[in-house]
């Protein structure tokens, strides 16, 4: 028998006397194919013999669709900077084409409000991919804000200096 999850749960007298059931939500791993059932065992630390075992059957379990953990790099032709469709935005880049990773995420980051998680090596152009989303917001009009979060203060300072030069100097967008 393996323990997949445990946590302390405090049930007050008022909760116990209520007619509404107390709900406890938790997530446990389920291997595929799943076992016939798991046993949920609730044990009181204060009352001797106060134990409840509830079988959880998996016969009607519908597993989530499995998705690959990552997206393979597609053999795309690098997009030119003009794909931004805004001459002002094009001026902030010194290069003529985006790299393969940036090309692959361009549509999602620049044209949609979809969430994106980009996991790529250092120096692969993730910051420019994030700038696509910032430029999208800048194109939506005045009064819009973009927040940049980084794990190190030095990275934030480096980005701030770069964006003050490029965004403020060439686009008139304040960075602080």
């Amino acid at each position: 028998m393996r323990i997949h999850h445990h946590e302390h749960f405090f049930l007050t007298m008022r909760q116990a006397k209520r007619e509404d059931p107390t709900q406890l939500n938790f997530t446990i791993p389920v291997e595929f194919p799943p076992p016939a059932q798991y046993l949920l065992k609730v044990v009181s630390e204060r009352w001797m013999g106060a134990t409840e075992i509830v079988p959880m059957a998996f016969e009607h379990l519908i597993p989530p669709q499995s998705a690959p953990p990552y997206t393979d790099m597609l053999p795309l032709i690098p997009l030119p900077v003009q794909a931004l469709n805004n001459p002002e935005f094009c001026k902030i880049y010194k290069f003529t084409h985006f790299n393969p990773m940036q090309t692959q995420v361009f549509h999602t980051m620049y044209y949609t409000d979809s969430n994106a998680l980009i996991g790529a090596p250092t120096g692969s152009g993730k910051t420019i991919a994030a700038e696509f989303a910032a430029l999208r917001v800048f194109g939506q009009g005045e009064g819009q804000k973009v927040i940049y979060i980084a794990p190190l203060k030095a990275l934030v300072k480096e980005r701030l200096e770069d964006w003050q030069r490029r965004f403020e100097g060439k686009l008139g967008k304040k960075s602080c």
Side-chain angles (χ1 to χ4, degrees):
M1 183 164 130
R2 265 191 313 199
I3 297 175
H4 292 288
H5 176 82
H6 81 280
E7 70 180 73
H8 289 278
F9 173 68
F10 186 74
L11 184 66
T12 65
M13 185 63 79
R14 185 183 316 170
Q15 289 172 316
K17 288 182 177 180
R18 278 193 333 208
E19 292 186 20
D20 297 341
T22 300
Q23 185 172 347
L24 178 63
N25 296 316
F26 56 91
T27 303
I28 57 172
V30 177
E31 298 154 357
F32 287 93
Q37 67 181 13
Y38 274 4
L39 297 177
L40 175 63
K41 185 175 185 179
V42 182
V43 179
S44 172
E45 292 180 342
R46 296 188 177 198
W47 296 93
M48 197 184 263
T51 301
E52 184 73 28
I53 298 177
V54 180
M56 296 172 34
F58 291 130
E59 55 195 33
H60 300 296
L61 178 70
I62 301 172
Q65 293 180 349
S66 90
Y70 61 90
T71 303
D72 288 323
M73 286 297 295
L74 302 173
L76 301 173
I77 296 169
L79 280 175
V81 173
Q82 287 74 24
L84 293 166
N85 291 326
N86 184 325
E88 295 298 313
F89 292 171
C90 295
K91 290 179 186 176
I92 67 171
Y93 296 110
K94 295 178 182 176
F95 48 83
T96 60
H97 289 76
F98 296 115
N99 72 23
M101 188 277 298
Q102 294 160 349
T103 297
Q104 186 159 334
V105 303
F106 180 80
H107 179 80
T108 300
M109 301 300 288
Y110 192 67
Y111 287 110
T112 73
D113 289 326
S114 298
N115 293 324
L117 172 66
I118 301 173
T122 301
S124 62
K126 296 182 296 291
T127 300
I128 289 173
E131 288 175 5
F132 295 156
L135 293 173
R136 172 179 165 72
V137 170
F138 294 161
Q140 292 176 344
E142 296 300 318
Q144 303 290 328
K145 293 182 181 181
V146 175
I147 298 173
Y148 174 74
I149 300 172
L152 300 171
K153 194 173 185 178
L155 291 175
V156 174
K157 185 177 178 186
E158 181 183 318
R159 284 291 97 228
L160 180 61
E161 290 170 1
D162 178 48
W163 286 336
Q164 284 174 335
R165 184 176 38 79
R166 292 190 303 130
F167 290 165
E168 287 185 31
K170 297 180 180 177
L171 298 178
K173 301 295 181 183
K174 187 175 179 178
S175 300
C176 53

